[in-house]
Amino acid sequence: MLSMAMLMLSGNLTMQAQNDVMLQAFYWDVPVDAETNNGFWWDNLYNKASEFKEIGITGIWIPSPAKGNWGIYDMGYGIFDHYDLGNYNQKGTVETRFGSRQELESMIAAMHDTNNGQPKVEVYADIILNHMYSSEEDAEANPAVKEYVFDEAFRNGQQYVPYPTNEIKWVIEDAAAGDYYIKFKGFYLDYSVSYQERAYDIQIDYNNSGFGSSYSWESEPNNGNGETNTFPASGETVRAFINSEGDIDEFKVTAPGGKDIIIQLTARRQSGDEWQWADQTHGFYPSEIWHNGQNLAVNELKAITNTGISYINHTGTGEANLTWDYSYFHPVDENDWLGNWGSGDEIITNTKGFGNDLNTFDPRVQTRMNNWGEWLSDEINFDGYRLDFVRGLQEEYVANWIANLPPINNQQRFIVGEYWGSASSIQSWVNNVATNGADADAFDFPLKSTLTGMCNGDAGFDMNWLNHAGMIRNGDGNSLPGTSVVTFLENHDTGKEHDKWVTKDWHLGYAYMLTHEGKPCIFYPHLYGVTLVDNHDASVQIEVPASLKEDLKKLIFIRKTYLNGSLSVLSESGNPYPSSDTHDVYVARREGNNSKGGAIVVLNNSHSDKGLWVDATPQDWSSWTNKTLVNAFDEEQTTEVFGDGRVWVEAPARGYAIYVLQEDYENYNDLKTITSDNSLINQTSDSDNKSELSVFPNPVKAGQSIQVTGTFEGAVQIQLFDKHGRMVFNQKEVQPAGNDLCITCPGINRGDYILSVKDSEKSESRFISVQ
Ligand SMILES: [Ca+2]
Ligand SMILES: [Ca+2]
Ligand SMILES: [Ca+2]
Ligand SMILES: [Ca+2]
């Protein structure tokens, strides 16, 4: 039933113009003034609200707004306090990296402002449902982790993955004076490789010394039963190895009494002379601690983890005062476990990939996250959400979270999930979330990969590879409908790793995305010419040309003006000639909307101007035979569809062209002048405006007379523009009768319009509402 309803809905939508361009409104390491704890990214977006509206951006995806564990530096994914949006002094700062809660709310209000006929820009927050980060101030005793380690990560006879060795502090509180014999064991280690891969640091503080930097080496044999190394001094480090399977390393410390014994272990590897960091799932732990004939590891020893999280008192509307403890995070009890990263891109619910992995099977976790989603929607007014790392969550949990959100206009809020994986995994995720009762889109990672190949490649990239690229056109049974897919060319993650970058000819990728099905998501640095910097090596950079912005504006104009519905690849199915040139030239026809008949898009990745003969009309599509097509950006450039249905279309070297029906043609440059000229909006919203122009009645119905009163010099031109700046009515040489003009409201859709009145002296405008 659900899929039937969705199909019917999308059927109706194809009649509308495509008004669905999303912007990822951030990138990795956006600027911040960390010296003064001042984030200004929300302010930056606030200042761009009118430009987003003008360009035709309809939704922005913003970073996770909640306070992160790394305070002013945190890009949001180190989420710490869900209800601190930059208004509580925690983690060393009130503001987040992006600004204060007030700045966030002002920005959202500017995006939502529809006064004077401005379009609304929806705001989608990045949401982390998988994990939470914390630090030493959140330390607590964790009996579940102690048990898990002492079971060496075995559950019901099966080996699972250790809790990270370095995230546990082992403590005997208030240790009595005397000798302690501490035995260390290793587990989950590879004995087929050199012992140097099984190295670890032992740090012991038994005298309130803290930990210093001096170190020494273990001396075998130290396997217990009298073979003991004396630990050099409180706070020092011993470098040791589990030399072979079954090796035990024993150390003696002499406690002064009345102080804690604190043990910290870190997995290492030795490579030549270098003592390196190792995978912390190499398990090491103090398996026995003997004192006066008693093994204190059994009862007195505590495993301390940073899972005891509490916050400054919250006072705002709807803000929960939460505390968390180990029982909310994997592993929670004797039946729980931690998994690894899997062998492919399958769902991994219990993997401690980022911070503390929330036990998303716990109804308490589910309730807390659901309440948070409601609060973000009702109190902060987010329109939708981008869900981070959904690979770490069971689909049922995600679906319940989505379904619990308060609807907008009786509809579920927009959701897109980050499933970085293969087409089949992405498809199953979307379908399984739907089966569990929620509608989530997914990012088209496979398409990103193909488009990157096209932009960066030259002759080596075969344009036929576009024919079934991405999720929507997937020909292997793993496709998704365009209404379930968000397409993108780069995101904050790929944008910080140079091996994933698009490094040239971005316009080719965007020409594909913005003319094709799916909801296109533009990357902020591409719109604003921000240089990308590799996260591992800041000397590796790629400059994004500022000229790309004009391409993006043109392509959004094409999308909104001419396109909707399905697509057919003419360079695949339309008898292309010469067929060998399909290696270089890709041609597709996209259906239109209720006022325009669609377009043909041509992409050429060769280094010379090139074209193809194609059949303009796919089977069962409206016939373009004997029609004249024009270049959508140059009315003078035409091509005829012949009587047999063939048409010649071409695009410049490493470029794109869009062909539309001559009768549909709209001059992009005219519209650009209007849409990029804010004077229309400024005039009408300017309270000092001395104009006498008045319009009656307002609102007005189609077919009804409109009386415009003002002072006019000679004949007048009257135009109506819709809120995207598109002209819908144009009447020249209207003769005023004194101070009055009378026109008939044309048969246009309900909505807000700008009425422009021009005479030989001046141009004035008013917003009118058509009902
Ligand atoms: Ca600020
Ligand atoms: Ca050893
Ligand atoms: Ca030993
Ligand atoms: Ca998880």
Side-chain angles (χ1 to χ4, degrees):
M1 282 309 288
L2 183 75
S3 56
M4 274 292 288
M6 279 161 58
L7 275 175
M8 288 169 67
L9 186 67
S10 64
N12 289 336
L13 285 173
T14 59
M15 297 305 291
Q16 312 290 320
Q18 283 207 309
N19 204 9
D20 61 350
V21 179
M22 201 171 140
L23 175 76
Q24 179 176 7
F26 68 101
Y27 52 94
W28 197 256
D29 281 354
V30 296
V32 59
D33 183 355
E35 292 276 299
T36 61
N37 284 332
N38 179 26
F40 47 80
W41 193 252
W42 303 143
D43 286 346
N44 172 48
L45 298 181
Y46 173 93
N47 290 330
K48 291 189 163 61
S50 56
E51 186 175 42
F52 294 163
K53 295 175 185 202
E54 187 185 294
I55 291 173
I57 304 295
T58 57
I60 59 169
W61 154 27
I62 64 160
S64 168
K67 181 74 54 74
N69 190 50
W70 287 275
I72 196 69
Y73 297 100
D74 203 303
M75 274 299 294
Y77 298 104
I79 186 164
F80 169 69
D81 184 346
H82 300 81
Y83 291 93
D84 177 357
L85 306 188
N87 53 317
Y88 292 100
N89 193 359
Q90 300 185 98
K91 298 293 177 186
T93 175
V94 174
E95 295 201 358
T96 69
R97 184 179 191 121
F98 315 108
S100 68
R101 172 166 164 181
Q102 173 116 53
E103 288 160 355
L104 168 68
E105 294 192 79
S106 301
M107 182 275 284
I108 295 171
M111 298 298 165
H112 286 176
D113 185 1
T114 55
N115 284 321
N116 299 326
Q118 305 170 63
K120 176 183 179 180
V121 174
E122 296 195 329
V123 182
Y124 312 132
D126 207 313
I127 293 293
I128 296 122
L129 296 173
N130 177 66
H131 60 261
M132 292 169 61
Y133 276 88
S134 54
S135 52
E136 268 191 15
E137 65 203 57
D138 310 305
E140 66 164 350
N142 188 332
V145 160
K146 182 183 174 188
E147 186 183 15
Y148 189 64
V149 175
F150 274 73
D151 289 342
E152 301 192 347
F154 272 89
R155 286 287 179 262
N156 301 315
Q158 194 178 331
Q159 175 76 71
Y160 290 96
V161 175
Y163 198 88
T165 290
N166 67 327
E167 291 188 32
I168 306 168
K169 202 180 268 185
W170 300 95
V171 177
I172 291 177
E173 287 171 346
D174 199 13
D179 292 343
Y180 291 75
Y181 294 87
I182 307 175
K183 292 181 180 178
F184 295 100
K185 272 183 82 180
F187 63 106
Y188 202 69
L189 299 174
D190 183 356
Y191 293 100
S192 70
V193 292
S194 158
Y195 74 97
Q196 294 175 311
E197 296 294 329
R198 298 186 298 274
Y200 65 115
D201 278 341
I202 303 166
Q203 295 175 285
I204 307 176
D205 170 1
Y206 48 88
N207 196 15
N208 281 3
S209 56
F211 292 114
S213 59
S214 59
Y215 66 89
S216 52
W217 299 83
E218 72 165 335
S219 168
E220 291 283 359
N222 58 5
N223 300 335
N225 302 321
E227 296 167 341
T228 298
N229 290 170
T230 298
F231 200 79
S234 180
E236 294 204 0
T237 299
V238 169
R239 293 181 171 182
F241 303 93
I242 297 301
N243 301 63
S244 56
E245 195 159 7
D247 181 23
I248 288 186
D249 295 332
E250 186 183 271
F251 293 84
K252 183 182 95 172
V253 303
T254 304
K259 309 268 170 68
D260 295 348
I261 297 176
I262 304 167
I263 303 164
Q264 262 184 201
L265 304 174
T266 308
R268 299 281 184 183
R269 60 189 297 270
Q270 191 180 18
S271 173
D273 288 341
E274 291 214 8
W275 192 249
Q276 297 174 340
W277 189 260
D279 187 334
Q280 297 301 316
T281 63
H282 294 187
F284 303 94
Y285 70 109
S287 57
E288 296 172 36
I289 301 180
W290 291 94
H291 173 69
N292 284 344
Q294 256 202 311
N295 179 8
L296 303 184
V298 179
N299 292 317
E300 281 76 6
L301 180 66
K302 289 179 175 165
I304 307 291
T305 60
N306 298 336
T307 45
I309 300 167
S310 61
Y311 311 110
I312 201 166
N313 188 50
H314 283 240
T315 51
T317 308
E319 295 173 29
N321 270 300
L322 300 177
T323 58
W324 305 84
D325 60 48
Y326 70 90
S327 70
Y328 291 89
F329 306 102
H330 297 298
V332 296
D333 59 27
E334 69 276 9
N335 294 312
D336 200 16
W337 46 273
L338 293 176
N340 58 29
W341 276 91
S343 54
D345 60 0
E346 67 273 31
I347 289 201
I348 43 169
T349 54
N350 292 39
T351 295
K352 204 173 178 309
F354 304 100
N356 303 301
D357 195 45
L358 280 161
N359 176 15
T360 51
F361 299 94
D362 182 340
R364 298 174 306 162
V365 171
Q366 296 170 355
T367 302
R368 286 177 170 204
M369 290 299 159
N370 286 356
N371 291 345
W372 180 48
E374 285 175 54
W375 178 79
L376 290 170
S377 304
D378 288 337
E379 206 61 42
I380 313 300
N381 286 322
F382 287 114
D383 302 279
Y385 303 97
R386 177 266 185 190
L387 305 184
D388 182 58
F389 191 59
V390 294
R391 206 188 140 209
L393 313 164
Q394 73 276 26
E395 291 124 334
E396 189 186 14
Y397 165 70
V398 173
N400 289 343
W401 189 85
I402 299 168
N404 181 70
L405 293 169
I408 294 185
N409 302 326
N410 294 319
Q411 290 196 324
Q412 186 211 286
R413 278 157 210 263
F414 171 73
I415 299 288
V416 57
E418 179 211 20
Y419 202 118
W420 194 333
S422 64
S424 64
S425 293
I426 295 171
Q427 184 201 45
S428 355
W429 183 78
V430 167
N431 290 343
N432 290 339
V433 170
T435 303
N436 281 290
D439 175 19
D441 290 11
F443 286 109
D444 197 339
F445 281 91
L447 183 68
K448 160 21 182 190
S449 167
T450 303
L451 294 182
T452 302
M454 172 180 67
C455 295
N456 295 354
D458 289 303
F461 184 90
D462 183 344
M463 292 298 268
N464 288 296
W465 295 340
L466 291 181
N467 297 351
H468 297 280
M471 296 302 306
I472 301 165
R473 307 208 58 77
N474 179 289
D476 301 328
N478 297 315
S479 72
L480 284 171
T483 48
S484 295
V485 175
V486 174
T487 58
F488 69 101
L489 197 59
E490 207 82 273
N491 67 20
H492 61 292
D493 281 327
T494 66
K496 68 178 194 264
E497 294 180 9
H498 71 273
D499 60 326
K500 301 181 178 67
W501 287 345
V502 172
T503 53
K504 65 184 174 94
D505 295 329
W506 295 263
H507 61 279
L508 281 172
Y510 279 112
Y512 181 98
M513 274 170 56
L514 286 161
T515 55
H516 280 55
E517 295 171 80
K519 185 197 278 277
C521 183
I522 293 169
F523 187 42
Y524 183 98
H526 291 166
L527 185 60
Y528 288 105
V530 179
T531 296
L532 299 183
V533 179
D534 187 273
N535 201 36
H536 304 293
D537 180 357
S539 71
V540 181
Q541 303 191 349
I542 190 75
E543 210 170 301
V544 178
S547 63
L548 184 58
K549 186 177 192 172
E550 182 62 17
D551 280 299
L552 291 170
K553 287 163 83 170
K554 285 161 78 172
L555 289 162
I556 294 171
F557 163 77
I558 293 294
R559 183 175 187 84
K560 284 176 174 304
T561 307
Y562 298 101
L563 304 179
N564 209 332
S566 60
L567 178 134
S568 178
V569 180
L570 304 182
S571 52
E572 180 187 27
S573 59
N575 297 315
Y577 181 85
S579 63
S580 60
D581 281 355
T582 59
H583 186 91
D584 297 328
V585 183
Y586 167 90
V587 183
R589 181 173 155 190
R590 182 85 196 276
E591 284 184 324
N593 51 47
N594 53 359
S595 56
K596 304 290 181 187
I600 287 177
V601 54
V602 187
L603 305 178
N604 172 8
N605 84 330
S606 77
H607 288 275
S608 54
D609 299 356
K610 250 184 188 171
L612 280 180
W613 286 102
V614 290
D615 287 343
T617 309
Q619 205 175 355
D620 302 327
W621 284 48
S622 63
S623 172
W624 278 7
T625 298
N626 297 320
K627 296 273 191 186
T628 301
L629 307 184
V630 301
N631 182 321
F633 302 111
D634 178 5
E635 202 178 3
E636 305 300 311
Q637 202 188 317
T638 65
T639 186
E640 306 296 326
V641 183
F642 287 7
D644 64 359
R646 287 184 308 145
V647 65
W648 171 258
V649 289
E650 62 187 27
R654 303 290 299 168
Y656 63 89
I658 316 281
Y659 290 85
V660 298
L661 293 168
Q662 192 169 46
E663 69 238 35
D664 280 352
Y665 178 79
E666 300 269 357
N667 191 328
Y668 168 72
N669 292 315
D670 285 357
L671 289 157
K672 193 179 67 169
T673 316
I674 293 153
T675 51
S676 61
D677 175 7
N678 283 326
S679 62
L680 282 177
I681 302 216
N682 291 343
Q683 266 181 29
T684 47
S685 60
D686 183 355
S687 56
D688 295 334
N689 186 1
K690 300 289 196 298
S691 165
E692 300 294 325
L693 194 73
S694 73
V695 179
F696 181 83
N698 189 11
V700 62
K701 289 191 171 68
Q704 201 176 7
S705 299
I706 308 173
Q707 186 176 317
V708 183
T709 307
T711 52
F712 307 107
E713 292 293 326
V716 173
Q717 179 178 16
I718 296 181
Q719 294 170 310
L720 272 177
F721 299 96
D722 70 13
K723 58 190 179 185
H724 311 301
R726 196 179 306 148
M727 191 170 66
V728 295
F729 176 76
N730 185 11
Q731 197 173 349
K732 293 177 183 169
E733 300 295 322
V734 182
Q735 290 298 334
N739 289 341
D740 290 331
L741 278 167
C742 196
I743 56 165
T744 302
C745 181
I748 50 180
N749 292 336
R750 292 166 59 138
D752 293 328
Y753 294 84
I754 298 161
L755 175 77
S756 158
V757 181
K758 269 187 226 172
D759 63 13
S760 55
E761 306 265 321
K762 62 190 180 301
S763 168
E764 290 183 274
S765 54
R766 283 288 172 275
F767 284 93
I768 66 163
S769 182
V770 176
Q771 297 197 325

